[in-house]
Amino acid sequence: MTQRVGIFGYPLGHSMSPALQQAALDEYALDALYEAWPTPPDRLAEAVAGLREPGCYGANVTVPHKEAVMGMLDRLDQQAEAIGAVNTIVTESDGKLAGYNTDIYGFLASLSSEAGFDPAGKRVVMLGAGGAAKAAAFALVEGNVASLDIANRTVARAEALIAELRSNGAETSAFAIDSTGLADRCANADLIVNCTSIGMRGSPSPDASPLLDGAIQPGCLVYDIVYNPEVTPLLAQAEEAGARTLGGLPMLVYQGAAAFEKWTGMSAPVEVMMAAARRAMEEQTR
Ligand code: ATR
């Protein structure tokens, strides 16, 4: 029986998951099909219940369902529970549904494998305080950073995120994204991570960088989790400043790789998935 697996989201126009997951399934010649399952909120419960049928690996979950889906599952992994969001569902052998969040792994694995960066003891500035920022902040605290400054347009949201983190001994503070205090923190940062949608293709501010010119020092690693375009205005600015850069595509691939391993029990072909993601992005932007 052909195994089914797919992604729930709404709308699902630009998801790259079908391309990179199908490439991985095909690499092992598995009889399995990964599909896009655009699902409006009022159909989600019914669609998730369908995962209990035989012949299903599970699913990925994306915007806007990552929180709502939690109440439709039988079991939640501890990281998913801590973040309050599920991006991967695994159908277990008895038909029970387990929820995971592989974004933390995706964030840390891309930092380590693609940039050789270990967060332990490092000073980090994070821009943004939405859903993506939350996974990144939990990952950084779990990685034992020395300090984590969170800057956001809406400062109250940065403060709320800090209050939710079990800081693990990290110094934490909240800033306005345009404050002079933030400029000082950036000047001393080992890592700056952008988790806002500024600079994303199709967003209201595709040509902007979240930081002012001069904010980035050459010794810093600048990580933009925006993956489209591959070189965002922030990354171009970082290159100009002589800093090292990391784009968002590897995080997408590594969170997908972790999901693939949970569904199949096989080691994910990361290079194959990375190449498929690059191809899918090129096709999309053509
Ligand atoms: P996601 O789940 O992708 O993180 P989100 O929860 O909507 O999406 O978060 C988007 C982030 O980008 C937020 O930090 C948002 O700032 P606010 O919390 O103040 O809304 C930030 N953001 C988006 N557009 C922005 C802009 N033009 N200027 C500054 N920050 C922006």
Side-chain angles (χ1 to χ4, degrees):
M1 180 194 279
T2 303
Q3 295 286 316
R4 289 180 313 121
V5 57
I7 181 164
F8 296 125
Y10 199 74
L12 251 188
H14 294 310
S15 176
M16 306 244 268
S17 292
L20 65 93
Q21 293 292 357
Q22 193 64 52
L25 295 165
D26 293 349
E27 177 69 10
Y28 285 112
L30 294 169
D31 181 11
L33 197 58
Y34 188 105
E35 297 172 307
W37 293 329
T39 309
D42 61 343
R43 304 295 300 274
L44 185 65
E46 182 193 345
V48 169
L51 299 176
R52 298 177 191 276
E53 303 293 322
C56 207
Y57 280 141
N60 280 132
V61 184
T62 188
V63 180
H65 300 319
K66 286 185 176 187
E67 290 92 27
V69 80
M70 296 177 76
M72 302 167 188
L73 308 176
D74 302 301
R75 200 168 69 70
L76 291 175
D77 158 75
Q78 177 246 321
Q79 283 188 332
E81 198 146 25
I83 305 189
V86 159
N87 76 335
T88 301
I89 302 172
V90 176
T91 305
E92 297 180 332
S93 52
D94 56 1
K96 289 240 159 54
L97 301 180
Y100 296 89
N101 191 307
T102 66
D103 286 332
I104 289 188
Y105 172 81
F107 183 87
L108 291 173
S110 50
L111 262 182
S112 150
S113 303
E114 305 293 314
F117 187 92
D118 175 3
K122 301 297 197 316
R123 292 160 299 189
V124 182
V125 171
M126 208 175 83
L127 311 171
K134 197 167 178 182
F138 272 79
L140 289 164
V141 161
E142 204 166 284
N144 294 311
V145 292
S147 68
L148 179 62
D149 298 316
I150 304 183
N152 201 39
R153 177 175 58 185
T154 315
V155 185
R157 226 176 157 195
E159 284 164 353
L161 176 50
I162 284 174
E164 272 186 69
L165 292 170
R166 254 170 285 140
S167 72
N168 236 1
E171 261 180 58
T172 49
S173 41
F175 290 87
I177 202 159
D178 53 1
S179 65
T180 48
L182 177 66
D184 288 345
R185 306 302 288 190
C186 285
N188 291 304
D190 301 303
L191 172 68
I192 298 174
V193 188
N194 176 45
C195 300
T196 73
S197 51
I198 300 172
M200 189 194 295
R201 198 185 301 272
S203 78
S205 38
D207 302 319
S209 164
L211 291 180
L212 295 172
D213 278 340
I216 301 168
Q217 298 302 310
C220 185
L221 171 66
V222 177
Y223 181 8
D224 198 335
I225 71 165
V226 170
Y227 61 80
N228 190 359
E230 231 181 321
V231 180
T232 59
L234 173 66
L235 294 182
Q237 187 184 12
E239 278 170 18
E240 189 87 351
R244 291 198 303 141
T245 61
L246 176 61
L249 206 62
M251 176 169 172
L252 182 77
V253 169
Y254 282 99
Q255 65 75 31
F260 177 90
E261 294 184 352
K262 291 189 188 306
W263 295 323
T264 64
M266 301 172 94
S267 159
V270 173
E271 291 306 317
V272 168
M273 296 173 89
M274 196 82 79
R278 287 224 159 82
R279 269 198 312 275
M281 207 166 76
E282 277 162 22
E283 273 164 32
Q284 223 177 71
T285 53
R286 206 175 280 150

